[in-house]
């Protein structure tokens, strides 16, 4: 079996990684020549302000008394410049947002693995193309543009990473730091001749990254006084810097200013997903080469913001976030970033029609260059008779379009030239996408064939090894040899075919994987024959009924990934299970408890996603309820202790129990105290932080000191996990593990009744059942049809553990408030790890309950686990076909997340299975003390 498990892990890892190769390989190509507008630019220098985490509505809205939130910026867009909304893409995080703004392309998701910080791929940017760039701000953002630059002309000034503290008195100090440093930089340049002359060069960029608004939004929410005060401070800072720069250059009218944001923020202070509050960011442009405000009588947009913001009469010019990079490049006359896919928004420019047409032509040629490189790369790695070029943009069509545009510009037909440039840009972008996804169908089919083969093989292993449905047949050596050589030669043909196309090594893995998998399936033909005979001997209605119930169950699971309420429907069906199967007749009390707990747990998926509104009293209530249940359980324990023989051992066990209860009480206090302290802007108390980390480390140790009797060990697991879970909770989710654990307890009892009901074994006394002695292989029984239902329950509870209190977007855009008991200084890796721990705790509860079900129903963990594997693989195949790379970015991100989640669950459940065995069967022995009598 270890070979089988290793093969399973390997196959699933390949299936999981394949999705990134098929859908999310890097879109970047290298080897293009830089393109630059031949005419002199309107500006010598550009100042870029990025107010991190600033929503469009937060800036443009008026206060309740009708005054503007940002008076200076409001006067700019009303009197001096142009404005609009910049539409960002998912994931709405700082790194991809800045890459889109400054490099002009939407970063591929592979950057997630790098934590959005380092450069996963080298890329060109406006900063790199400039003569000099000076930047001030966060150490998370600035270094990546300096590292990516060729030569030494991008200078960065960052504050310490520790300054990004969500629990600090006021994060606006981060922005004040930036403004103060810019002022002192300009003052010092007057006495530094080298710096002074560098600042007076052309093609200079000054970048101010303002993180305060984002930090205040996370800590206090965007509707808070702190967030809005921070906007006012940024407004004042921008005014001072603009005035300082104009004075420094003697008001030469050669400075262009841009203020925008990398992403917005939800009302509950998170970002990452595709909600309009996260994807709509402000854009205000003024200064050299920029259009003045344009008065209009009417303009139509699908949203109703113009009326709310009292800006109906000023022309609003919306752009995609990547369009800002070509806008900056054309304003100061630097080459467009090589990998930019943005289209120059001409309506922002106040320059001649000739300049606009030339700039647009440069933009079109720059995107066409990428298309040509992509096409030649694909041509080189595909056999000529198999290569299908992108028809709308053939070589002759490219030449034709370029000649036409050139001719229009020479004839001064600038509008026609611009229109044709836009057509060329759209075709080139379509072509880029076409070649980027060229191998997708071929690779997708390979993975699907491997998937179906693997699932079939696991079903055959279950039937052959764990049921009585098949009789052993001696293998025919001659047939086996022919089969082996047949599949080996098929593999060699595939490998040769890939070799002559110089395909990447990963293609070999995806295309050759189905060969051994299907070889293993075809070898089991006798098992398939026996199975077919058995199925055909059953009444046809019974077979179809069982098949339909299986499909319905899996569909409910798949549906629950899109709509959490599907879990509620499933749990309500579970509530009726004892009635449908007549189980309630033999165990009325247990059946009633099961039904009530199912209904109770069914409420959670109907609640709003966690993190929207913190509710600390509920966390405290959960802590007190845990203590109440512990006291009740302790009372029962003490009554049994009076009758016990082994007083010493039981006293030790009670001590462990008391420590765990104390830990839960302490966690409840820490949560309450920490959130009060942060509310009063006193930061995270050091003592609370120490207690939180100590609780996290000591909980698993205390758990392993408890006795291995079934209920005692499971209850100890709950107490240990609850003490950590409370520290990571901010609202109603703290009650979730309690409800889930109650249902798991009821499930273990109900499975005993089910065993007796089907006459599979005698009812055992669960109170004296010990995990340590339960692993007797001789007592394991063969699988029964009811075990499929048992495995389905487990998968359903695992999915409920994940979606009971959240969804994909809530994981993606988590609320940092969850980790405030442990740390408040921004640290994506540490915060992410703690969040994953929070997500894993309900999984551990379900896995331990499933381990208890396995041993009490006398099944080897392997046999039930294989059924679980089949169910999750069928779900994964479902999601594999649902993955898409079109539509809104939220749809794309969600479809990928679903597939990755199911695949991770399968790998995760293998790990959880091992962890559950460790947590239930292992026990640390305390050194026994000898008693000394004083004389």
């Amino acid at each position: 079996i270890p070979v089988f498990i290793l093969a399973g892990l390997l196959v699933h890892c390949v299936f999981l990684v394949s999705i990134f190769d098929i859908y999310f390989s890097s879109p970047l190509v290298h080897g293009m020549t830089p393109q630059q507008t031949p005419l002199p630019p309107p500006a010598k220098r550009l100042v870029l302000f990025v107010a991190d985490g600033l929503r469009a509505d937060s800036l443009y809205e008026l206060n309740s008394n009708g005054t503007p939130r940002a008076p200076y910026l409001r006067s700019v867009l009303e009197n001096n410049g142009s404005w609009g909304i910049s539409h960002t893409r998912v994931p709405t995080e700082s790194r991809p947002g800045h890459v889109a703004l400054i490099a002009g392309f939407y970063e591929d998701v592979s950057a997630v693995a790098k934590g959005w910080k380092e450069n996963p791929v080298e890329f060109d940017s406006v900063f790199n193309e400039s003569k000099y760039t000076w930047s001030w701000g966060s150490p998370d953002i600035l270094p990546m543009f300096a590292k990516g630059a060729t030569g030494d002309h991008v200078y960065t000034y960052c504050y310490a990473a520790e300054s990004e503290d969500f629990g600090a008195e006021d994060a606006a100090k981060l922005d004040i730091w930036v403004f103060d440093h810019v002022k002192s930089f300009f003052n010092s340049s007057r006495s530094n001749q080298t710096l002074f002359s560098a600042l007076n060069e052309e093609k200079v960029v000054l970048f101010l990254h303002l993180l305060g608004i984002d930090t205040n939004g996370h800590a206090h929410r965007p509707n808070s006084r702190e967030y809005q005060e921070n906007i006012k401070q940024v407004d004042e800072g921008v005014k001072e810097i603009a005035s300082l720069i104009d004075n420094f250059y003697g008001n030469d009218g050669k400075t262009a200013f841009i203020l925008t944001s990398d992403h917005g923020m939800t009302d509950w202070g998170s970002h990452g997903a595709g909600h309009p509050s996260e994807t709509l960011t402000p854009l205000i442009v003024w200064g050299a080469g920029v259009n003045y405000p344009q008065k209009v009588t009417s303009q139509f947009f699908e949203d109703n913001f113009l009326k709310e913001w009292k800006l109906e009469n000023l022309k609003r010019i919306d752009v995609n976030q990547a369009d800002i990079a070509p806008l900056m490049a054309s304003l100061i006359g630097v080459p467009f970033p090589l990998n930019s896919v943005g289209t120059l928004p001409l309506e922002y420019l106040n320059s001649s029609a000739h300049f606009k047409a030339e700039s647009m032509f440069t933009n079109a040629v720059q995107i066409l260059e990428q298309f040509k490189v992509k096409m030649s790369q694909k041509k080189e790695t595909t056999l000529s008779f198999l290569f299908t070029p992108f028809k709308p943009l053939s070589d002759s069509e490219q030449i034709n379009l370029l000649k036409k545009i050139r001719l229009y510009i020479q004839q001064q037909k600038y509008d026609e030239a611009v229109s044709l440039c836009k057509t060329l840009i759209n075709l080139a972008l379509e072509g880029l996408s076409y070649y980027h996804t060229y191998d997708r169908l071929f690779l997708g089919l390979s993975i699907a064939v491997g998937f179906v083969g693997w699932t079939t093989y696991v079903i055959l292993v279950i039937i052959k090894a764990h049921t009585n449905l098949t009789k052993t047949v001696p293998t025919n050596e001659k047939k086996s040899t022919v089969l082996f050589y047949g599949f080996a030669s098929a593999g060699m043909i595939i490998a040769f075919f890939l070799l002559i196309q110089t395909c990447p090594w990963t293609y070999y893995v995806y295309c050759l994987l189905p060969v051994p998998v299907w070889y293993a399936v075809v070898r089991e033909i006798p098992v398939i024959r026996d199975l077919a005979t058995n199925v055909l001997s059953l009444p046809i209605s019974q077979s179809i009924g069982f098949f339909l119930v299986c499909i319905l169950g899996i569909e409910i699971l798949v549906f629950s990934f899109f709509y959490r309420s599907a879990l509620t429907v499933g749990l309500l069906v579970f509530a009726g299970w004892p009635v449908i199967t007549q189980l309630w007749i033999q165990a009325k009390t247990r059946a009633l408890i099961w039904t009530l707990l199912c209904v109770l747990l069914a409420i959670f998926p109907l609640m709003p996603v966690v993190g929207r509104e913190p509710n600390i009293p509920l966390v405290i209530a959960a802590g007190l309820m845990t203590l109440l249940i512990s006291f009740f359980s302790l009372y029962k324990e003490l009554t049994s202790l009076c009758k016990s023989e082994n007083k010493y051992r039981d006293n030790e066990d009670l001590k462990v129990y008391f420590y765990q209860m104390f830990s839960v009480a302490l966690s409840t206090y820490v949560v309450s105290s920490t959130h009060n302290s942060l509310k009063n802007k006193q930061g995270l108390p050091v003592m609370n932080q120490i207690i939180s980390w100590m609780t996290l480390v000591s909980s698993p140790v205390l758990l392993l000191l408890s006795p291995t009797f079934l209920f005692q060990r499971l209850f100890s697991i709950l107490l240990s996990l609850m003490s950590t879970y409370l520290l990571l909770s901010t609202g109603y989710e703290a009650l979730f593990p309690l409800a889930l654990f109650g249902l798991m307890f009821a499930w273990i009892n109900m499975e005993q009744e089910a065993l007796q009901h089907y006459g599979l074994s005698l009812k055992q006394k669960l109170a004296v059942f010990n995990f340590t002695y339960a692993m007797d292989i001789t007592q394991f029984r063969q699988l029964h049809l009811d075990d499929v239902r048992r495995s389905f329950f487990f998968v359903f509870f695992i999915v409920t553990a994940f979606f009971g209190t959240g969804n994909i977007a809530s994981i993606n855009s988590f609320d940092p408030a969850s980790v405030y008991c442990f740390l408040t200084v921004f640290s994506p890796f540490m915060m992410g790890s703690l969040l994953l721990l929070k997500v894993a705790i309900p999984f551990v509860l379900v896995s331990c309950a499933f381990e208890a079900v396995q041993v009490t129903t006398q099944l080897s963990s392997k046999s039930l686990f294989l059924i679980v594997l089949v169910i999750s693989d069928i779900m994964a195949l479902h999601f594999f076909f649902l993955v898409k790379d079109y539509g809104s970015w939220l749809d794309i991100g969600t479809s990928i997340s679903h597939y990755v989640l199911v695949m991770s669950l399968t790998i995760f459940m293998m790990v959880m299975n091992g962890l559950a065995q460790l947590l239930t069967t292992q026990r640390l022995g305390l050194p026994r003390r000898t008693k000394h009598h004083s004389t």
Side-chain angles (χ1 to χ4, degrees), residues 814 819 827-837:
F814 77 95
V819 298
S827 164
F829 181 74
M830 188 59 77
M831 287 179 163
S833 304
L834 287 167
L835 182 81
L836 282 176
L837 175 69

Side-chain angles (χ1 to χ4, degrees), residues 4 455 458-459 461-463 466-467 546 550 554 557 781-795 850 854 859-875 906 909:
F4 180 77
T455 310
V458 177
I459 293 171
V461 168
I462 293 169
I463 288 159
H466 300 282
T467 66
F546 176 71
C550 286
I554 288 173
L557 282 174
R781 60 182 178 80
Q782 292 284 49
L783 285 170
H784 179 264
L785 207 55
D786 193 43
D787 294 320
V788 177
R789 189 240 348 126
R790 219 162 254 132
S791 302
F792 175 75
F793 271 26
F794 172 59
V795 178
F850 188 55
Q854 284 172 2
L859 271 173
S860 75
S861 57
K862 191 180 85 184
S863 55
L864 270 191
F865 187 74
L866 288 175
I867 304 177
V868 168
L869 203 60
V870 171
I871 294 171
S872 52
D873 277 348
I874 294 170
M875 281 168 65
T906 313
M909 284 194 288

